[in-house]
C-alpha cells in the first residue's frame, strides 16, 4: 500500500532549491530524505492492523496487506470501491454507516467500537472499529482489529473459571489454597468449613497447624520442607481434631503449582473416618470368618470320618443282603418250583397259581436286590478310566443278550464302533440296561427291533445311539424316567424295578460322560450316551 500522504514542506524546499539554482547535491539529499520517509511510512502502514483510507465520498483510496489477508479480498476488488460495496456489500453495516456518516462529521474520531458480523468471505467475526479524520488531506482512516480469537479465549477462560468455582464449591473434599511464601490460607471451600467447624473467615489468614493440620507447628514446618523439596506430599491416615473437639481420620494431599508466576499450594483433605471404621469392621469380620472356617473344617473332617464309617457299614450291609437275603429268595423259588413239579397234580388250579405268584415275586425281589447292589457299587466303587474297544464290547453283549423275552429281539449294529474312554464294567452295565429297556417296552405281539450306531461330535466326543421301536415316552414323563424307583407303567404291564435307567444315569455321570434321549409316545425311543473319544 502506498500511503496517501505528502510532505509539503519538503516538496516546497526542493522546488525552491531547484529555482534558486542551488547545487544538485543538496537537491539529491532532500530527495533521498523524502524516499526514506516514504519507505518508513509504508513499513509502518503495512505492519499495522487492517486499515482502510477513504476519501470524502467514502471510497477506498488504499488499504494495507493486513486488510487484504483478513477479509480475503484483492487490491483490484478494493481500490476506488465505495466502502459499503466492499465484498458484495459485506461492509454495508448499519452501525458502520452511523459512525462514518453521522459521528465523524461532528467529531475527529471514534474508538474501539465492538461489532460482531457475519462476513461473506471469512464468516462470523468480532472486530473493534476505530476511525480518524485527516481534514487537511480530506481522508478518513478506518482501523479494524479482529478480536474473535481473543473473545473466544476470554469466554473459554471465564467458562473454565465458572466450572472450577462450581467444582471448588460443590466438592465433598475439603480444599484450601495457601500462599506458598507465607503458608497462610488464601481460600477455602464450604466443605472445609463443614469438616473443621470453622467459618471461612476464621480459616483465612491462618496456617494449617493452627487448625490442626498437622497437629503442631513443628510438624507443619517439616511437612512444608517436604513439599518444597518434592512439590507433592500425601498422608494416608492423618489424625485431626475439629473445632468441636471431634476426632477424625483424614487423607491429606498437597501439591505446589504456578499461578501466573506466583507459587500457590493446594491442599485436599478427605474425611476417611467412616471408611476406616468399615475397614476395621471388615478386618474383624475376616478374622471371625477365618475362625469359623477353621471350625467348619474341623467339623467337616469329623463328619467325613463318620461318613466313611457309615459308608463302610452300608457296604457291609449290601454284601449281607447279597448273601443273606438272596439265599432265602432262591430257596423260595426252588421250593415253589418243587411243589409245582412234584405236587402240582394234587393241587387245584388256584393252588398252582399261588405257587407261580410266589415264584414271580421272589424273582422280582431278587432282581430288585441285585439292582440296588449295582447302584450302591456305582456310587462308591473306585472308577478307573481307560480305553474301551466299544465295537468289541457291544458285540459281546449282543451275542450274550438274554433271549427270555416273549419275542426274541432283532439287534443291528451299524458299522464299526470307535474306541472311547470309559470304565468298561460301568459302560457294559449301561449298554445292557438300555438294550433290556428297548427289548422290554414294546407293544404286545411286536418284535423288538434295536439299532446301535455311533457318530463323532466336534472331533472330541463319541455319541452312541440306541434306537428302538418301542411304545415311546410321552413328553410329560421325560423328566421322570431317570429317577430312582420311578415307574411309568404298572408292573402288571411291564416288569421292572424302576432302577435300570437310574443306574445308567449315575454310571454315565461318574464316567464324566452324558446321557439323553429323544422320544414321542407311540414312536419308539432313541437313547444316547456321549463319551470322550480315545486319542
Amino acid at each position: 500500500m502506498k500511503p496517501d500522504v505528502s510532505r509539503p514542506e519538503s516538496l516546497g524546499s526542493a522546488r525552491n532549491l531547484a529555482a534558486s539554482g542551488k547545487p544538485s547535491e543538496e537537491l539529491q539529499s532532500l530527495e533521498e530524505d523524502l524516499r526514506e520517509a516514504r519507505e518508513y511510512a509504508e513499513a509502518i502502514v503495512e505492519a499495522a492492523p487492517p486499515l482502510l483510507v477513504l476519501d470524502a465520498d467514502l471510497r477506498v483510496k488504499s488499504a494495507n496487506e493486513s486488510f487484504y489477508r483478513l477479509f480475503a479480498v484483492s487490491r483490484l476488488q478494493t481500490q476506488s470501491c465505495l466502502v459499503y460495496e466492499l465484498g458484495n456489500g459485506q461492509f454495508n453495516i448499519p452501525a458502520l454507516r452511523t459512525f462514518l456518516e453521522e459521528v465523524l462529521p461532528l467529531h475527529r474520531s471514534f474508538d474501539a467500537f465492538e461489532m460482531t458480523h457475519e462476513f461473506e468471505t471469512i464468516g462470523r467475526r468480532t472486530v473493534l472499529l476505530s476511525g480518524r479524520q485527516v481534514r487537511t488531506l480530506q481522508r478518513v482512516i478506518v482501523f479494524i482489529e479482529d478480536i474473535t480469537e481473543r473473545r473466544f479465549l476470554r469466554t473459554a477462560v471465564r467458562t473454565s473459571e465458572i466450572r472450577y468455582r462450581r467444582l471448588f464449591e460443590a466438592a465433598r473434599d475439603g480444599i484450601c489454597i495457601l500462599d506458598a511464601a507465607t503458608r497462610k490460607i488464601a481460600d477455602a471451600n464450604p466443605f472445609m468449613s463443614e469438616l473443621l467447624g470453622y467459618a471461612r473467615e476464621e480459616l483465612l489468614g491462618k496456617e494449617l497447624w493452627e487448625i490442626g493440620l498437622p497437629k503442631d507447628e513443628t510438624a507443619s514446618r517439616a511437612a512444608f520442607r517436604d513439599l518444597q523439596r518434592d512439590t507433592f506430599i500425601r498422608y494416608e491416615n492423618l489424625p485431626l481434631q475439629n473445632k468441636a473437639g471431634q476426632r477424625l481420620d483424614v487423607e491429606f494431599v498437597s501439591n505446589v503449582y504456578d499461578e501466573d508466576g506466583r507459587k500457590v499450594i493446594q491442599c485436599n483433605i478427605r474425611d476417611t473416618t467412616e471408611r476406616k471404621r468399615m475397614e476395621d469392621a471388615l478386618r474383624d469380620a475376616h478374622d471371625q470368618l477365618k475362625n469359623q472356617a477353621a471350625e467348619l473344617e474341623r467339623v467337616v473332617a469329623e463328619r467325613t470320618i463318620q461318613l466313611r464309617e457309615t459308608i463302610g457299614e452300608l457296604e457291609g450291609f449290601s454284601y449281607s443282603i447279597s448273601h443273606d437275603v438272596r439265599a432265602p429268595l432262591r430257596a423260595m423259588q426252588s421250593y415253589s418250583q418243587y411243589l409245582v413239579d412234584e405236587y402240582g397234580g394234587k393241587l387245584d388250579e388256584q393252588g398252582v397259581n399261588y405257587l407261580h405268584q410266589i415264584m414271580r415275586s421272589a424273582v422280582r425281589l431278587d432282581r430288585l436286590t441285585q439292582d440296588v447292589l449295582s447302584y450302591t457299587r456305582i456310587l462308591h466303587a473306585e472308577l478307573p478310566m481307560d480305553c474301551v474297544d466299544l465295537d468289541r464290547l457291544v458285540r459281546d453283549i449282543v451275542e450274550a443278550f438274554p433271549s427270555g423275552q416273549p419275542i426274541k429281539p432283532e439287534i443291528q449294529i451299524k458299522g464299526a464302533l470307535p474306541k472311547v474312554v470309559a470304565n468298561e464294567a460301568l459302560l457294559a452295565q449301561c449298554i445292557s440296561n438300555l438294550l433290556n429297556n428297548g427289548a422290554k417296552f414294546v407293544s404286545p405281539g411286536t418284535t423288538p427291533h434295536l439299532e446301535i450306531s455311533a457318530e463323532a461330535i466336534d472331533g472330541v466326543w463319541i455319541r452312541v445311539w440306541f434306537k428302538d421301536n418301542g411304545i415311546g415316552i410321552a413328553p410329560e414323563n421325560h423328566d421322570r424316567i431317570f429317577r430312582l424307583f420311578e415307574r411309568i407303567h404298572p408292573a402288571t404291564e411291564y416288569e421292572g424295578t424302576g432302577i435300570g435307567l437310574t443306574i445308567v444315569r449315575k454310571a454315565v455321570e461318574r464316567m464324566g460322560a452324558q446321557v439323553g434321549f429323544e422320544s414321542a409316545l407311540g414312536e419308539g425311543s432313541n437313547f444316547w450316551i456321549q463319551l470322550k473319544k480315545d486319542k
Side-chain angles (χ1 to χ4, degrees), residues 8 16 66 71 114 172 226 248 255 266 293 308 317 423 472 490 508 525 533:
N16 291 338
S66 297
F71 293 101
E114 185 175 314
R172 298 307 293 170
D226 292 342
L248 303 172
N255 63 291
Q266 178 173 321
R308 284 174 179 166
F317 179 67
N423 177 273
V508 166
S525 299
K533 180 181 179 181

Side-chain angles (χ1 to χ4, degrees), residues 126-298:
T126 299
V127 298
L128 291 180
L129 297 176
S130 299
R132 294 287 185 275
Q133 280 199 64
V134 185
R135 291 178 178 171
T136 56
L137 299 176
Q138 293 293 300
R139 296 289 186 266
V140 174
I141 303 176
V142 179
F143 298 92
I144 305 167
E145 182 181 1
D146 184 4
I147 62 169
T148 306
E149 301 302 327
R150 187 195 313 168
R151 172 57 59 84
F152 174 79
L153 290 175
R154 187 190 311 161
T155 302
V157 169
R158 184 164 60 251
T159 301
S160 178
E161 288 174 349
I162 292 171
R163 289 175 180 171
Y164 167 77
R165 176 53 60 178
R166 286 177 178 170
L167 289 172
F168 183 78
E169 298 290 342
R172 298 307 293 170
D173 285 351
I175 305 173
C176 58
I177 308 298
L178 280 65
D179 186 309
T182 65
R183 304 193 299 276
K184 295 185 182 297
I185 298 174
D187 199 1
N189 72 337
F191 190 73
M192 193 73 174
S193 297
E194 182 180 331
L195 182 66
L196 299 176
Y198 293 95
R200 181 174 181 275
E201 292 72 22
E202 294 179 280
L203 294 172
L204 299 183
K206 284 188 170 61
E207 292 192 42
L208 290 180
W209 66 269
E210 296 180 88
I211 57 173
L213 283 169
K215 60 183 179 180
D216 55 38
E217 186 175 4
T218 303
S220 177
R221 291 184 183 279
F224 183 70
R225 287 193 296 272
D226 292 342
L227 184 61
Q228 284 183 312
R229 182 186 67 247
D230 302 329
T231 70
F232 175 86
I233 56 173
R234 180 191 187 101
Y235 299 110
E236 292 286 346
N237 294 297
L238 190 67
L240 170 68
Q241 184 171 302
N242 62 17
K243 187 177 181 181
Q246 181 185 9
R247 180 183 171 82
L248 303 172
D249 291 300
V250 299
E251 179 183 84
F252 180 88
V253 179
S254 183
N255 63 291
V256 182
Y257 60 90
D258 185 86
E259 188 181 79
D260 289 337
R262 182 173 66 95
K263 296 290 185 182
V264 296
I265 300 171
Q266 178 173 321
C267 301
N268 290 61
I269 299 96
R270 176 170 295 176
D271 184 0
T272 60
T273 307
E274 183 62 20
R275 186 181 74 189
K276 191 170 185 299
R277 185 192 67 77
M278 292 180 65
E279 287 173 351
D280 292 341
L282 285 172
R283 188 161 45 250
D284 293 342
H286 180 67
D287 292 339
Q288 292 176 10
L289 285 173
K290 284 175 61 178
N291 294 335
Q292 291 175 359
E295 176 63 16
L296 184 60
E297 286 180 4
R298 185 189 65 77

